[in-house]
Amino acid sequence: MKNEWGIKEAEIFVESDEDIILTRQKVRILTQQMGFSTLSQTRIVTAVSELARNIVVHAKEGRVSIYTLENRRGLRIVFEDQGPGIPDLEKAMEGGYSTVGSLGLGLKGAQRLVDEFEIKTEPGQGTRVTITSHL
Amino acid sequence: MPEISMLTLGKTLIVPMQVELHDRAAARLQEDILVKIEKTGASGLIIDVSAVDIVDSFLGRLLGETARMAAMMGTATVLVGIKKDVVITMLQLGLEMKDLHTALNMEDGLALLESLRIKKSLTGIG
């Protein structure tokens, strides 16, 4: 199924820490198949771990959708939840270990590990994070 | 859920992290390590992460926390075998591992622990 985000490779409902591992494994296999370097694989899968964990920890449950783009030369992953949303996004993104508990390091860190990072969040409206990495 | 088997070598506890742990299992492992240190009186802890592909902020924090707790029990912690891709990613993620020593491999890790013990007995520091 092709849409604005590319070809959907997988969709995972995450609500437990086992789901985080499952998501990591799926993404790892895909990045290997696509030919990403081992460093890129590690960076992408680590970002995925951070963002999937955010869903489980802060929203209890959510969805991870994995797309390939540009003839399998790009990977786009969307993390969506209907959780509490992030009230002070700028502060959360400022990074630093102790900001907003575990959230700060995860978001800022994940951003540094991928090529493109987009976040849409509103208190009470859930959160959607989209990351993209290119070969 | 696969168990992680720990090995005691003299006064050193060696913990090889060979499987991908989910969060609850990782927290349980931390507790198991501390219980074992208490039981054996180990003065050194080696965590072998050579089979670990991904260290995210959760695992990074857990390792640091375990080292801090072990230190409170008088035990020094050495992380051995961190993969270079993991090192680079941890730096970019912003993870600092200030509470533990690192060594390239098991042999170096054991030697480092030994030198820390000698230093401690000579100076009373550490």
Side-chain angles (χ1 to χ4, degrees):
Chain A
M1 255 252 14
K2 199 172 183 184
N3 65 13
E4 60 179 274
W5 280 317
I7 297 173
K8 185 180 264 190
E9 302 286 340
E11 186 172 282
I12 305 160
F13 182 70
V14 291
E15 59 174 349
S16 68
D17 42 358
E18 281 105 344
D19 294 333
I20 298 171
I21 298 205
L22 181 66
T23 308
R24 278 160 51 151
Q25 287 170 346
K26 266 199 144 63
V27 174
R28 176 170 275 284
I29 290 170
L30 190 54
T31 54
Q32 271 168 358
Q33 287 171 349
M34 289 170 72
F36 278 98
S37 68
T38 52
L39 176 57
S40 294
Q41 289 177 35
T42 303
R43 292 172 79 226
I44 294 168
V45 176
T46 303
V48 166
S49 195
E50 295 297 321
L51 298 171
R53 178 168 292 102
N54 278 356
I55 292 179
V56 175
V57 170
H58 299 279
K60 300 288 182 292
E61 62 182 37
R63 188 174 60 207
V64 179
S65 308
I66 305 169
Y67 304 85
T68 50
L69 356 138
E70 299 145 6
N71 251 337
R72 289 205 134 214
R73 292 194 57 78
L75 181 65
R76 177 162 292 157
I77 308 173
V78 184
F79 302 78
E80 273 172 303
D81 65 67
Q82 294 304 309
I86 302 166
D88 194 340
L89 183 59
E90 210 172 295
K91 189 162 181 194
M93 288 298 295
E94 248 160 57
Y97 217 67
S98 49
T99 313
V100 199
S102 61
L103 199 55
L105 184 63
L107 286 177
K108 188 84 183 148
Q111 185 179 41
R112 280 194 222 107
L113 297 175
V114 297
D115 295 337
E116 293 160 37
F117 181 96
E118 207 180 278
I119 178 165
K120 192 170 148 101
T121 183
E122 211 75 45
Q125 304 240 0
T127 302
R128 181 167 81 208
V129 180
T130 307
I131 59 173
T132 310
S133 280
H134 305 278
L135 267 175
Chain B
M1 179 64 218
E3 287 276 306
I4 291 207
S5 46
M6 303 188 270
L7 167 73
T8 303
L9 199 67
K11 285 297 211 176
T12 303
L13 181 62
I14 299 174
V15 180
M17 290 192 66
Q18 279 152 344
V19 295
E20 199 163 2
L21 293 174
H22 58 68
D23 298 5
R24 280 172 291 128
R28 251 202 321 271
L29 175 64
Q30 183 185 67
E31 192 176 326
D32 290 347
I33 289 174
L34 296 173
V35 166
K36 196 81 179 198
I37 290 175
E38 194 174 55
K39 245 193 220 164
T40 61
S43 55
L45 168 64
I46 292 196
I47 303 179
D48 184 349
V49 292
S50 51
V52 174
D53 288 330
I54 305 290
V55 176
D56 60 10
S57 65
F58 177 83
L59 186 57
R61 252 197 302 274
L62 192 92
L63 289 169
E65 198 178 73
T66 305
R68 278 198 297 283
M69 290 177 177
M72 280 179 152
M73 295 169 86
T75 308
T77 304
V78 182
L79 215 64
V80 310
I82 308 185
K83 294 186 159 142
K84 79 160 200 319
D85 288 342
V86 171
V87 168
I88 295 169
T89 304
M90 278 169 71
L91 276 171
Q92 294 178 340
L93 189 55
L95 267 175
E96 289 172 344
M97 305 291 268
K98 292 172 290 177
D99 303 295
L100 31 70
H101 305 274
T102 54
L104 224 52
N105 54 49
M106 187 66 70
E107 199 178 326
D108 290 355
L110 289 165
L112 177 57
L113 277 177
E114 199 42 46
S115 72
L116 288 170
R117 282 189 189 102
I118 292 172
K119 187 168 146 197
K120 186 173 185 177
S121 66
L122 285 178
T123 64
I125 300 166

